[in-house]
Amino acid sequence: MNPRHNKSVTLVELLIAVCIFSLIVIGFSSIDTFSQYHVITSDRRAKLQNDASYVLEHMAKNITGTGTSGGAVGDVTNTPTSSPVSLTTIIGGENAIVINIDYNNNGKWDGTSTDRRIAYRYNAANYEIWYYSPYSGDTPGSYEVIASKKIRPDFSSTISQPTYCTYNSANNYIEVQITSCWDPDGSPAACGSLDNPALSMKNRIYMPAVSTH
């Protein structure tokens, strides 16, 4: 008869096996965490892009005209003709953009009795953009929130030299920049960090030609 051979696992072999198994588990766990982190970050950036795009598209639609009414128009009764937009407006102590709209679509500014003004206001306390239509100056009236509380539209530049919106009188267009942040107060992670993504979007909006009659 063949002698019986007893086989056993030594302590060293057991420790090596445990270490290898632990490395495999840690590797799969790291891959899973890494994937989830980037999926969440990508999802947040996509939502920021959607919200910022909506604001820019909303402004472009109203400034260029909606079909039933004309777009932005300057006041030709002034000399020289005044700009269709006011970039240095303050509403309730907060930065805003006011636009003259050719509401009756006759190609000129007829005053607020016939045409109207609209406004976009950045409400810093709630990280929102408020849309007024119509905007009546001292008593702006009701508004529509067009930016989620989850983002921070950057209308907070120095009002005398606003970098978020510039007007080119030679070519009659404005450039609007929106900077959005997932966690708007920047706490505990600063805006633009890996845990708190941020993005900026810019749009050049050409306005209709200003009438001279």
Side-chain angles (χ1 to χ4, degrees), residues 86-145:
S86 174
L87 308 181
T88 58
T89 301
I90 297 291
I91 301 177
E94 297 179 326
N95 294 2
I97 302 171
V98 175
I99 304 114
N100 294 337
I101 296 295
D102 179 22
Y103 192 67
N104 62 2
N105 207 11
N106 69 346
K108 64 178 181 177
W109 174 252
D110 297 311
T112 54
S113 59
T114 305
D115 292 324
R116 66 172 55 176
R117 290 187 172 96
I118 61 174
Y120 293 89
R121 169 184 176 183
Y122 174 50
N123 178 250
N126 296 303
Y127 308 105
E128 297 174 340
I129 290 182
W130 295 357
Y131 170 61
Y132 295 86
S133 180
Y135 168 71
S136 55
D138 295 335
T139 55
S142 60
Y143 59 86
E144 175 189 358
V145 178

Side-chain angles (χ1 to χ4, degrees), residues 34-52:
F34 179 82
S35 300
Q36 288 188 17
Y37 175 81
H38 281 275
V39 166
I40 293 173
T41 301
S42 298
D43 180 66
R44 290 179 175 179
R45 290 185 65 85
K47 290 178 179 178
L48 289 178
Q49 183 174 354
N50 289 339
D51 284 350

Side-chain angles (χ1 to χ4, degrees), residues 1 6 13 30 33-34 49 54 65 68 84 99-100 104 115 121 123 143 163 172 190 201 210 212:
M1 295 181 62
N6 294 322
E13 292 173 331
S30 298
T33 302
F34 179 82
Q49 183 174 354
Y54 175 75
T68 57
I99 304 114
N100 294 337
N104 62 2
D115 292 324
R121 169 184 176 183
N123 178 250
Y143 59 86
T163 58
N172 199 37
M201 298 186 67
V210 177
T212 57

Side-chain angles (χ1 to χ4, degrees), residues 3 14 17-18 23-24 39 42 44 48 75 81 96 108 115 139 141 152 159 177 193 195 210:
L14 181 61
V18 170
L23 290 174
I24 294 173
V39 166
S42 298
R44 290 179 175 179
L48 289 178
D75 187 352
T81 301
K108 64 178 181 177
D115 292 324
T139 55
R152 183 170 67 182
I159 200 66
Q177 178 170 316
S193 62
D195 293 324
V210 177

